């Protein structure tokens, strides 16, 4: 009986350790995100494929707006129904002042470390909306399996979304 319990504990420990090493990580600290996208007015650029828009404290529209650790980078995928939101902070650097530069090909780069991230893919999570993957394609973030910090984009009504964490 004791041998079975030790074997089971060792097996569970091995599985947990193996799973953890395969999980992408980020060096971006948690910070509150609460922002409303309005594609029918202010944010109409996001009605195009592979579009992006940056939001920082200067983008504040309401007293409740929050922009994460370093600001928000909102991108659209191949379809304008695919909207993903990420923190602007490079997840490899983890420094609020080292921000990503979005590109029109569905990627974002860090000029500091040279990492390149894919921003146009994600998953629909029931009850949470769309959540981007933000996987590193090249650079030190790729070697270390560091991904962008992603936020949920939840549809509200036609042309309006809430970005939250």
């Amino acid at each position: 009986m004791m041998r079975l319990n030790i074997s089971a504990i060792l097996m569970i420990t091995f599985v947990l350790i193996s799973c953890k090493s395969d999980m992408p990580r980020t060096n971006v600290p948690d910070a509150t995100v609460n922002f409303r996208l309005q594609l029918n007015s202010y944010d109409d650029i996001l009605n195009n494929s592979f579009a992006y828009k940056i939001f920082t404290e200067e983008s504040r529209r309401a007293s409740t707006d929050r922009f994460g650790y370093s600001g928000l980078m909102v991108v659209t995928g191949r379809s304008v129904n695919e909207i993903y939101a990420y923190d602007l902070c490079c997840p490899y650097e983890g420094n609020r002042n080292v921000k990503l530069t979005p590109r029109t090909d569905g990627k974002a780069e860090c000029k500091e470390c040279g990492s390149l991230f894919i921003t146009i893919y994600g998953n629909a999570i029931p009850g949470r909306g769309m959540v981007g993957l933000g996987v590193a394609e090249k650079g030190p973030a790729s070697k270390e399996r560091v991904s962008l910090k992603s936020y949920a984009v939840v549809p509200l009504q036609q042309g309006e979304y809430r970005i939250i964490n």
Side-chain angles (χ1 to χ4, degrees), residues 20-103:
K20 183 174 174 147
S21 65
D22 288 342
M23 302 272 301
R25 64 181 181 83
T26 182
N27 293 321
V28 179
D30 289 335
T32 304
V33 174
N34 183 22
F35 187 71
R36 189 179 196 133
L37 286 177
Q38 298 176 7
L39 274 57
N40 296 329
S41 58
Y42 299 114
D43 310 315
D44 62 344
I45 187 72
L46 295 171
N47 285 313
N48 300 297
S49 298
F50 301 114
Y52 64 86
K53 191 166 181 180
I54 302 298
F55 299 95
T56 61
E57 290 298 321
E58 292 79 31
S59 307
R60 186 177 304 280
R61 297 177 189 154
S63 62
T64 56
D65 288 347
R66 299 293 179 266
F67 302 94
Y69 183 64
S70 189
L72 294 173
M73 174 177 54
V74 179
V75 301
T76 55
R78 295 183 195 283
S79 161
V80 295
N81 295 325
E82 300 171 10
I83 300 175
Y84 307 107
Y86 303 97
D87 202 285
L88 264 178
C89 184
C90 172
Y92 179 78
E93 296 291 331
N95 179 337
R96 167 177 270 141
N97 299 314
V98 178
K99 299 182 182 192
L100 299 168
T101 303
R103 302 182 346 183

Side-chain angles (χ1 to χ4, degrees), residues 89-159:
C89 184
C90 172
Y92 179 78
E93 296 291 331
N95 179 337
R96 167 177 270 141
N97 299 314
V98 178
K99 299 182 182 192
L100 299 168
T101 303
R103 302 182 346 183
T104 57
D105 63 353
K107 298 178 183 181
E109 61 187 323
C110 175
K111 304 284 189 190
E112 184 77 19
C113 72
S115 293
L116 185 66
F117 301 89
I118 302 169
T119 61
I120 58 169
Y121 299 111
N123 295 313
I125 298 177
R128 282 205 55 211
M130 297 295 293
V131 178
L133 298 176
V135 176
E137 182 179 72
K138 73 173 192 174
S142 175
K143 292 180 180 87
E144 304 250 344
R145 297 185 48 82
V146 180
S147 294
L148 297 177
K149 184 156 193 103
S150 181
Y151 302 114
V153 180
V154 181
L156 299 175
Q157 58 192 25
Q158 184 66 32

